[in-house]
Amino acid sequence: MTDVIIVSGGNIQKDFALDFLKKNRTDATCIMAADSGLDFLRETGIEPDVAVGDFDSLTEAGAAYLGALSHTEILKLTPEKDDSDTQHAVNFAMDRGAERILILGATGSRIDHLLANLELLLLGKKRGVKIALADSKNYVTLIESGMVLKKQEQFGSYVSFFPLGGDVRGLTLKGFKYPLFEHHLRAEDCGLSVSNEIVEDTASVEFSGGNLMMLMTRD
C-alpha cells in the first residue's frame, strides 16, 4: 500500500470529503476507517479495505455495518491502549509500506485529539512517510525546504507556517505578500507567519533547520 486515506471520527463535511476522495483516490489507494470514521463510509456507501479501532463510538447502525463487512480487514483494539485509534491506523499503514497518508476527519471539537493528530506529522517524518490532514477549510502537512507552491493549485487563499517540535531556523519566504528572509521562527512569535498569501505565480519556502508545518486555509 503506497497511498492510504484514513477516515477518522472527527468532523467531516460530506460533499468536501466525497469530492476529495474522488480526486485523490485511485484503484491502488487503500481506504482505512479509524473507529467512528466507519460511520461516514457506511453512510456514503464506501467499503473500507481496513477498519481499525475499539469501535466504542460507533453508532448502532455502524456496529451492524462493521459486523456485515465481508471483504474488510478488521483490527479490533481494546479501549485501554497507549495510542489513539487514528495513530494506530497510521502506524498500521506505515508498517504495511505506506509512503503517503491523508487523514480525513482529523479535526473537530476535541482539541486534545487535534493536537495528537498534528503530532502524527512528526511521526510520519521520522519514518519517511508524508502525512497530511484535510477538512473542508484546512490542509495541513509538514514541508521540506525548497518547496515551490503554485498559486493556481493552492488549497484556499491563505498560507500559514508554524514550527513543530522546536524552532525553525533560516525561514525564507519568496513570492508571498509578506516575505521573510532567514528568519528564526519560534512558537512564541509565530503570529508573524499566519495568514500569508501567494502573490506571484509561484512562491518558495526555504529553511535551514527544524520542522515546518504548513496550513493552507479557506474562509
Side-chain angles (χ1 to χ4, degrees):
M1 69 174 64
T2 300
D3 292 306
V4 176
I5 296 176
I6 296 174
V7 181
S8 192
N11 292 341
I12 301 179
Q13 205 283 328
K14 182 177 179 179
D15 291 340
F16 162 79
L18 288 175
D19 183 63
F20 204 93
L21 285 168
K22 181 179 179 181
K23 291 178 179 178
N24 292 275
R25 182 185 184 185
T26 69
D27 291 340
T29 302
C30 175
I31 302 295
M32 297 181 64
D35 202 70
S36 60
L38 188 65
D39 273 314
F40 170 80
L41 297 177
R42 173 186 59 81
E43 292 167 1
T44 53
I46 300 172
E47 184 170 340
D49 300 293
V50 182
V52 178
D54 51 36
F55 305 114
D56 59 350
S57 54
L58 276 181
T59 63
E60 185 176 337
Y65 178 67
L66 177 67
L69 291 172
S70 57
H71 300 291
T72 298
E73 183 176 359
I74 299 173
L75 282 74
K76 184 72 165 62
L77 310 177
T78 60
E80 296 78 19
K81 54 189 183 299
D82 294 329
D83 58 4
S84 68
D85 294 316
T86 301
Q87 182 176 347
H88 200 96
V90 167
N91 278 316
F92 177 84
M94 292 192 296
D95 289 343
R96 288 287 183 94
E99 297 177 4
R100 292 171 294 274
I101 300 174
L102 172 73
I103 307 176
L104 300 174
T107 60
S109 58
R110 288 284 299 270
I111 295 178
D112 54 345
H113 284 184
L114 173 60
L115 290 174
N117 289 334
L118 291 174
E119 295 291 343
L120 293 176
L121 303 179
L122 289 175
L123 176 62
K125 182 177 181 179
K126 183 177 181 180
R127 296 188 58 176
V129 177
K130 179 75 170 181
I131 297 179
L133 318 178
D135 63 25
S136 61
K137 299 292 186 181
N138 308 279
Y139 180 88
V140 189
T141 192
L142 287 182
I143 63 172
E144 300 292 332
S145 180
M147 184 173 189
V148 175
L149 305 172
K150 296 181 180 179
K151 184 175 179 63
Q152 290 187 337
E153 297 177 0
Q154 71 181 105
F155 182 103
S157 302
Y158 302 103
V159 186
S160 300
F161 300 97
F162 296 90
L164 190 61
D167 296 353
V168 170
R169 302 180 295 279
L171 178 60
T172 297
L173 304 178
K174 298 179 181 178
F176 289 89
K177 183 176 181 178
Y178 306 108
L180 288 175
F181 180 72
E182 295 187 356
H183 179 73
H184 192 107
L185 185 64
R186 300 175 173 86
E188 59 265 31
D189 73 347
C190 61
L192 178 70
S193 55
V194 172
S195 296
N196 214 329
E197 300 175 47
I198 299 174
V199 293
E200 299 181 12
D201 290 340
T202 61
S204 64
V205 183
E206 297 180 358
F207 53 98
S208 58
N211 301 300
L212 187 63
M213 181 169 62
M214 179 184 72
L215 285 80
M216 289 187 169
T217 56
R218 300 168 175 165
D219 271 338

